[in-house]
Amino acid sequence: MKVNLLSASFKEETSKTLSLAIPIIVAQLGSILMGVTDNIMVGHYLGKIGLGVAGIANSIAFVISSIGIGGLAVVAPLISKAKAERNIPEVNRLFRAGWWAAVWFGLILGAIGFICVYFFDIFQQSAEINAKSPTFMGIIIVSSFFTFLFIASKQLSDGLSRTYVAMIITILGLVFNFVFNAILINGYLGFPAMGLNGAAVSTLFTRILMVIAMLAYLYKAKAFRKYLNRKYNPLPVSDLVKYIFKIGVPSGLQFFFEIAAFSLAVIMMGWLGENQLAAHQIAINVASVTYMMAAGLGVAGGIRVGEGRGLKNIQKIKMSGNVALLLVIAFMTLMMFLMIGLDRFLIGLYISDPEVVKIAVRLMLIAAVFQLSDGIQVVALGILRGIADVNIPTWITMFAYWVVALPLGYFLGFTLKQDAIGIWIGLFAGLTMSAILLTSRFYYMVGKMKKSEQYSLETAGA
């Protein structure tokens, strides 16, 4: 990856990528902080059992919804491509098709989620966690339906480079979730004290309000009127719904394979004990914050690459990919040092149990080290999505997490008796494998494009 960091084109692309990425990062951060807020407040009010319940229920619900979250993410690059081609009717059709895809994802994945709720005992957790998790998880599964609708809606604003819209709504949602967590968990202001389930109900209400706010803004703001003009409503969208599923399901599976690996790690931690489960939940919560911020850079990189694809400009595609990768390397290196320096402070936000803290400190060190690999692989997936390359990356992620990470983690953790540390070393190995293979795949695809007559080799500002 040869890049002239002082060139005007590099500086311009960096500026444009950051202007897109910062609001997406804040929105991604706000979204993941809802779960973090739930875990912190549950941990403080209800202790390590409550933290374990919220952690495993949220993890399982998230791994199920990950297919829809990753699948719907393909729409923004497609909208960016249509915008570069000045195809307004196509933007409209993509927005409506994304909504239909979100509904189908919600129904199908919701059904799978409730099957898991009904058979929760198969996860082999402690008796108390088995008893308290299903209701909490059921509420979270319902709220995931509205997450899909929100993601589908924000693809329009993100694809049109107005990423601040979702950012503002997500921040407001975070504040609302925090307030209603306190009210519903403890029964303030005349509300019933719902305890653990209050956090789940708060998340449900918050996600419903976020969908309403996003749609209200899109349909009232002048910037979106030409794309949402009713004259386009008769245009069919069934072909685009099928196309979104065609490239979205592999894209969603990429997300699923990683999230599922980490969620299975949560289950394995439960086999080791409640202290290990709580410590893992703390470390993975902190790591998930930086991951979602890196994922924001991946989304922005995908949008910029998608625009280059619409312009059929190979230099722009490569430059956008280079910039996104260099930015995430710099960002995740900084996060690595911060996590090492602030480990005990961050753990103290969750819990003070000395046994949990002892395990969590060791896990935080590994979490800090794998920041770089985690950031590179999620951005590589984003820029590959921008060129609609989803099938081979899906196989790469399956190999990295299910052939490398999980078997190695189980072997180290249980066979070699390395406990929680062994499981996390396996996860680190899988992330590193994914980062290497996905980055190589992007530059391989760029090389193939150079040989195609469809793409220009000239640099074009966009």
Side-chain angles (χ1 to χ4, degrees):
M1 179 173 60
K2 296 180 180 179
V3 181
N4 184 354
L5 302 181
L6 299 178
S7 69
S9 59
F10 176 83
K11 292 178 181 178
E12 180 184 7
E13 183 62 34
T14 300
S15 175
K16 290 182 177 180
T17 300
L18 284 174
S19 67
L20 276 179
I22 290 173
I24 295 175
I25 288 171
V26 175
Q28 299 272 51
L29 183 60
S31 178
I32 198 66
L33 281 176
M34 285 188 193
V36 172
T37 300
D38 287 349
N39 286 330
I40 289 175
M41 298 182 80
V42 165
H44 271 289
Y45 290 132
L46 304 175
K48 66 182 179 183
I49 296 298
L51 181 61
V53 168
I56 194 165
N58 270 313
S59 293
I60 296 169
F62 188 54
V63 73
I64 294 167
S65 66
S66 65
I67 297 175
I69 294 171
L72 292 168
V74 304
V75 179
L78 293 174
I79 287 176
S80 179
K81 176 178 178 288
K83 176 193 172 189
E85 295 169 341
R86 303 183 189 278
N87 192 340
I88 294 174
E90 187 73 355
V91 172
N92 175 276
R93 291 205 312 133
L94 282 165
F95 172 71
R96 290 187 289 122
W99 247 73
W100 277 110
V103 170
W104 281 111
F105 273 127
L107 294 175
I108 295 169
L109 297 176
I112 294 172
F114 278 107
I115 291 172
C116 291
V117 169
Y118 188 78
F119 294 104
F120 192 85
D121 287 351
I122 66 173
F123 298 113
Q124 302 178 30
Q125 300 301 297
S126 68
E128 195 168 0
I129 288 178
N130 274 342
K132 293 182 177 180
S133 294
T135 301
F136 184 96
M137 181 174 162
I139 300 169
I140 295 297
I141 290 292
V142 173
S143 75
S144 295
F145 182 85
F146 297 96
T147 296
F148 296 145
L149 296 182
F150 177 75
I151 292 171
S153 301
K154 85 184 192 72
Q155 296 304 296
L156 178 63
S157 55
D158 285 355
L160 297 177
S161 299
R162 296 180 179 271
T163 52
Y164 61 86
V165 178
M167 177 191 73
I168 294 170
I169 292 172
T170 303
I171 291 173
L172 292 174
L174 180 62
V175 173
F176 182 91
N177 187 55
F178 175 83
V179 172
F180 266 77
N181 261 342
I183 293 173
L184 295 178
I185 290 173
N186 299 294
Y188 297 148
L189 302 179
F191 286 86
M194 301 178 68
L196 179 64
N197 293 331
V201 172
S202 174
T203 298
L204 172 61
F205 287 164
T206 299
R207 289 174 173 175
I208 292 172
L209 289 175
M210 287 172 65
V211 174
I212 294 171
M214 175 60 76
L215 290 176
Y217 186 89
L218 290 178
Y219 278 95
K220 291 195 177 206
K222 186 177 179 181
F224 302 101
R225 284 179 190 169
K226 66 179 180 179
Y227 299 105
L228 298 176
N229 195 310
R230 291 182 180 178
K231 70 181 181 181
Y232 300 125
N233 287 352
L235 296 175
V237 297
S238 58
D239 60 322
L240 284 179
V241 174
K242 292 177 183 177
Y243 183 65
I244 289 171
F245 272 97
K246 180 180 178 181
I247 65 172
V249 170
S251 177
L253 287 173
Q254 298 163 6
F255 196 28
F256 168 82
F257 288 136
E258 179 180 1
I259 300 303
F262 277 85
S263 294
L264 188 52
V266 173
I267 295 170
M268 288 194 288
M269 288 293 177
W271 298 343
L272 292 171
E274 291 172 353
N275 288 332
Q276 288 91 336
L277 178 60
H280 172 86
Q281 190 56 37
I282 292 168
I284 206 66
N285 251 219
V286 175
S288 67
V289 172
T290 58
Y291 168 83
M292 292 303 285
M293 295 170 78
L297 278 169
V299 172
I303 292 170
R304 295 296 296 165
V305 167
E307 191 167 328
R309 182 169 168 246
L311 295 169
K312 300 188 184 303
N313 188 314
I314 186 65
Q315 287 296 93
K316 174 166 171 37
I317 291 171
K318 186 175 181 180
M319 178 64 77
S320 296
N322 287 341
V323 167
L325 286 168
L326 287 171
L327 285 174
V328 82
I329 289 171
F331 173 75
M332 292 305 254
T333 300
L334 174 62
M335 292 301 102
M336 177 178 67
F337 287 115
L338 285 176
M339 286 176 66
I340 292 172
L342 299 175
D343 55 350
R344 289 188 177 274
F345 169 77
L346 293 170
I347 295 166
L349 294 175
Y350 291 82
I351 206 165
S352 57
D353 186 303
E355 289 300 316
V356 175
V357 171
K358 181 180 178 180
I359 299 169
V361 167
R362 299 172 68 193
L363 297 184
M364 283 284 283
L365 177 61
I366 303 176
V369 173
F370 75 44
Q371 290 299 292
L372 199 56
S373 296
D374 203 11
I376 291 173
Q377 65 86 27
V378 75
V379 166
L381 280 174
I383 57 180
L384 284 167
R385 196 177 294 128
I387 56 175
D389 182 42
V390 293
N391 292 323
I392 296 300
T394 300
W395 288 105
I396 289 173
T397 54
M398 185 184 73
F399 171 76
Y401 302 117
W402 290 81
V403 177
V404 177
L406 287 174
L408 180 60
Y410 184 88
F411 176 74
L412 294 174
F414 293 91
T415 305
L416 296 187
K417 309 294 184 183
Q418 295 300 305
D419 207 75
I421 294 295
I423 295 174
W424 272 62
I425 291 174
L427 294 174
F428 170 63
L431 286 169
T432 302
M433 180 66 69
S434 180
I436 293 169
L437 294 178
L438 290 170
T439 305
S440 300
R441 174 68 181 175
F442 175 73
Y443 289 108
Y444 168 76
M445 292 301 294
V446 169
K448 284 185 67 175
M449 289 177 183
K450 284 183 178 179
K451 300 176 183 178
S452 172
E453 295 180 357
Q454 293 182 350
Y455 289 90
S456 166
L457 293 177
E458 297 176 2
T459 303

